Amino acid sequence: MLSDSRLLEEVQAEFALLPDKMNFKIGEAAKLLGIKPHILRYWEEEFSLLKPRKFTNNQRLYFKKDMELLILIKSLLYQYNLSVKGVRKHLSKYYYELNHKKSQPPQKKQTSEAAQKLKDLIEEINEIKKSVQSEANLIDEKRF
């Protein structure tokens, strides 16, 4: 049975082990994943989310996002023993969760911090308003 959180943690852990490069040629990507380059070309045909960039010399370049997707595909196929059809069925869900999970927790913390800062600013503005109003009242009293 597939454990969503375990799968995503495994993919993120393996992704963290990749060299700090912007892109990988097909041979490099295959070697890092422990598979043959022809398997990567086959996966390109089978999984529409996988679209490496091809340059003028027709050389494929896999960017970091592509590598993350490749790790996910490999895990689903080899560790969880899903068929290509099964991977196709679940791939977009897991890929979305993987990318969504990265940005989710810090956002909640930032939101609560931002809300507190906003409350503090509103308090400060209200105090400034009171101060300005009292100064305006003093000026009006001196006129009359």
Side-chain angles (χ1 to χ4, degrees), residues 48-62:
S48 60
L49 280 175
L50 183 58
K51 296 176 185 163
R53 306 335 171 265
K54 291 183 184 177
F55 289 90
T56 53
N57 61 356
N58 223 17
Q59 176 72 47
R60 289 170 171 80
L61 282 181
Y62 293 91

Side-chain angles (χ1 to χ4, degrees), residues 51-120:
K51 296 176 185 163
R53 306 335 171 265
K54 291 183 184 177
F55 289 90
T56 53
N57 61 356
N58 223 17
Q59 176 72 47
R60 289 170 171 80
L61 282 181
Y62 293 91
F63 289 86
K64 285 278 193 177
K65 248 186 178 4
D66 298 320
M67 293 300 292
E68 190 171 45
L69 183 59
L70 288 169
I71 292 168
L72 178 60
I73 292 169
K74 179 185 167 199
S75 293
L76 289 170
L77 285 170
Y78 298 130
Q79 289 176 311
Y80 290 89
N81 298 321
L82 290 181
S83 64
V84 170
K85 185 177 179 181
V87 173
R88 231 184 271 125
K89 182 179 175 183
H90 296 288
L91 190 59
S92 58
K93 172 191 153 198
Y94 288 124
Y95 190 60
Y96 171 78
E97 286 179 21
L98 192 62
N99 289 313
H100 191 65
K101 188 176 180 179
K102 289 179 189 172
S103 61
Q104 199 66 357
Q107 187 178 10
K108 288 181 181 178
K109 185 178 179 184
Q110 287 174 350
T111 302
S112 62
E113 288 175 7
Q116 186 58 47
K117 285 181 182 179
L118 183 60
K119 286 178 184 177
D120 294 344

Side-chain angles (χ1 to χ4, degrees), residues 3-77:
S3 167
D4 292 356
S5 60
R6 188 173 132 221
L7 169 68
L8 297 178
E9 287 171 9
E10 288 172 1
V11 169
Q12 287 176 328
E14 193 171 338
F15 183 72
L17 298 175
L18 290 177
D20 191 25
K21 291 177 63 173
M22 288 197 51
N23 54 53
F24 303 85
K25 292 181 179 179
I26 191 168
E28 294 172 302
K31 187 175 182 179
L32 288 168
L33 294 168
I35 57 177
K36 302 282 185 191
H38 72 271
I39 294 173
L40 292 179
R41 288 190 287 273
Y42 172 72
W43 288 355
E44 286 174 34
E45 294 172 12
E46 294 298 322
F47 306 112
S48 60
L49 280 175
L50 183 58
K51 296 176 185 163
R53 306 335 171 265
K54 291 183 184 177
F55 289 90
T56 53
N57 61 356
N58 223 17
Q59 176 72 47
R60 289 170 171 80
L61 282 181
Y62 293 91
F63 289 86
K64 285 278 193 177
K65 248 186 178 4
D66 298 320
M67 293 300 292
E68 190 171 45
L69 183 59
L70 288 169
I71 292 168
L72 178 60
I73 292 169
K74 179 185 167 199
S75 293
L76 289 170
L77 285 170

